[in-house]
Amino acid sequence: MGLSISRSIVSAHGGELRYENLSPGAIFQFTLLIAVGKPG
């Protein structure tokens, strides 16, 4: 459930969530877009 929530939040902000299964463990990475310029 936590991964699903994380994916929804990242996606809602125009980002991407990636993961890689390792033995043992896993790597989770996400990217988000950055707005450049004046706010508003």
Side-chain angles (χ1 to χ4, degrees):
M1 186 166 162
L3 182 57
S4 177
I5 293 169
S6 298
R7 183 176 289 143
S8 296
I9 293 169
V10 171
S11 179
H13 292 280
E16 180 182 21
L17 180 67
R18 295 176 303 281
Y19 64 91
E20 180 180 351
N21 289 326
L22 302 175
S23 182
I27 296 175
F28 292 87
Q29 299 176 322
F30 66 92
T31 56
L32 297 172
L33 300 175
I34 297 175
V36 178
K38 295 180 182 179

